[in-house]
């Protein structure tokens, strides 16, 4: 009888141990799930605004410029001065780099998170006095006052932007298109290869061509 009781006691201890172990495992599983879930939520809250495109007339997703692209932009503007505007300025890297080269640089961006980050970054880099960032839709802004225009566009918007800039810019202005060229304008220069390519357009050239086209149509 004593052997039976001892055996029964051993079985109960084994079951209790298994139950306790299973309970601890479940608790650890729940804790791990909460930690991972919380981390993902936090990551999305921080990174989401930077990688998700803002709502705009034509979707212009945020794709950061490479260091080579920034260098190519500055290279084709090397002997230029005055005001510069970056259309769809993202995290502000073009504007900040231009300000360090002596430009009075402005960025227009529809995503408020990116604008706030750009302002902070400009302050951290010591160029906040020569830079400005605005939360604005590019189609509602006039670029007539800028002598240098930089655009990281997408093919769907280039034709409309070509028409807008052709009407607004002064004859002495220069436009630098990154990643995608304008559909009708003939570039005055091209620098770089692949995704780092930049196309240079002088307003004097494309406005003269527009006048010739209009005269021909008449």
């Amino acid at each position: 009888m004593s052997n039976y009781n001892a055996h029964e006691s051993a079985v109960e201890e084994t079951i209790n141990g298994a139950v306790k172990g299973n309970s601890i495992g479940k608790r650890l599983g729940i804790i791990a799930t909460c930690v991972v879930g919380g981390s993902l939520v936090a990551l999305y809250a921080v990174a989401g605004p930077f990688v998700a495109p803002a709502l705009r007339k034509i979707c212009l997703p945020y794709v950061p410029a490479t260091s080579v692209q920034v260098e190519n932009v500055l290279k084709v503007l090397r002997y230029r001065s005055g005001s510069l505007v970056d259309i769809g300025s993202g995290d502000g890297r073009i504007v900040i780099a231009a300000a360090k080269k002596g430009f009075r640089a402005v960025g227009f961006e529809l995503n408020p998170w990116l604008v706030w980050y750009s302002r902070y970054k400009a302050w951290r880099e010591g160029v906040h006095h020569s830079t400005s960032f605005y939360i604005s839709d590019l189609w509602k802004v006039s670029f007539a006052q800028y002598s240098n225009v930089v655009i990281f566009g997408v093919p769907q918007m280039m034709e409309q932007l070509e028409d807008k800039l052709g009407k607004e810019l002064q004859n002495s202005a220069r436009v630098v298109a990154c990643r995608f060229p304008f559909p009708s304008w003939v570039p005055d220069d091209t620098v770089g290869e692949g995704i780092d390519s930049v196309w240079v357009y002088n307003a004097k050239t494309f406005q003269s061509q527009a006048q010739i086209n209009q005269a021909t149509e008449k």
Side-chain angles (χ1 to χ4, degrees):
M1 188 69 177
S2 58
N3 290 336
Y4 175 79
N5 291 335
H7 177 72
E8 186 178 47
S9 178
V11 171
E12 288 180 354
E13 289 180 3
T14 302
I15 293 174
N16 290 335
V19 170
K20 289 180 180 179
N22 190 37
S23 178
I24 293 173
K26 287 183 178 179
R27 290 178 183 177
L28 291 176
I30 292 173
I31 292 172
T33 301
C34 291
V35 170
V36 173
S39 299
L40 290 174
V41 170
L43 179 62
Y44 178 78
V46 173
F50 294 90
V51 299
L55 296 176
R56 57 192 78 199
K57 184 176 180 180
I58 294 178
C59 182
L60 184 60
Y62 168 56
V63 181
T66 67
S67 59
V68 175
Q69 287 172 328
V70 176
E71 291 174 5
N72 287 342
V73 170
L74 296 178
K75 184 182 298 184
V76 299
L77 297 174
R78 183 168 43 201
Y79 301 112
R80 303 276 299 177
S81 60
S83 60
L84 177 145
V85 61
D86 184 7
I87 301 175
S89 54
D91 65 359
R93 62 186 64 191
I94 291 289
V95 173
I96 292 171
K100 290 180 178 180
K101 295 296 183 179
F103 289 95
R104 173 60 192 172
V106 176
F108 286 96
E109 170 62 47
L110 194 57
N111 190 319
W113 293 89
L114 290 172
V115 171
W116 296 331
Y117 176 75
S118 298
R119 291 169 180 169
Y120 162 73
K121 192 175 178 183
W123 171 80
R124 189 181 64 184
E125 296 287 334
V127 293
H128 55 288
H129 292 300
S130 55
T131 60
S132 298
F133 296 93
Y134 300 101
I135 303 171
S136 184
D137 186 335
L138 70 90
W139 306 107
K140 299 178 181 178
V141 177
S142 172
F143 300 106
Q145 62 179 304
Y146 300 104
S147 53
N148 302 281
V149 179
V150 179
I151 173 67
F152 279 77
V154 292
Q156 296 90 333
M157 69 182 291
M158 300 304 278
E159 184 175 356
Q160 290 176 266
L161 188 58
E162 183 180 88
D163 182 61
K164 177 178 173 62
L165 295 178
K167 294 176 180 177
E168 294 180 354
L169 295 181
Q170 299 179 20
N171 189 259
S172 59
R174 172 171 290 182
V175 180
V176 181
C178 306
R179 290 204 177 101
F180 297 100
F182 286 95
S184 300
W185 293 349
V186 178
D188 293 281
D189 193 11
T190 303
V191 175
E193 299 179 352
I195 64 170
D196 295 323
S197 297
V198 300
W199 292 264
V200 183
Y201 305 90
N202 293 320
K204 183 177 181 180
T205 301
F206 59 71
Q207 289 176 347
S208 297
Q209 187 59 49
Q211 292 176 354
I212 293 174
N213 294 339
Q214 290 176 357
T216 303
E217 291 175 359
K218 293 179 180 180

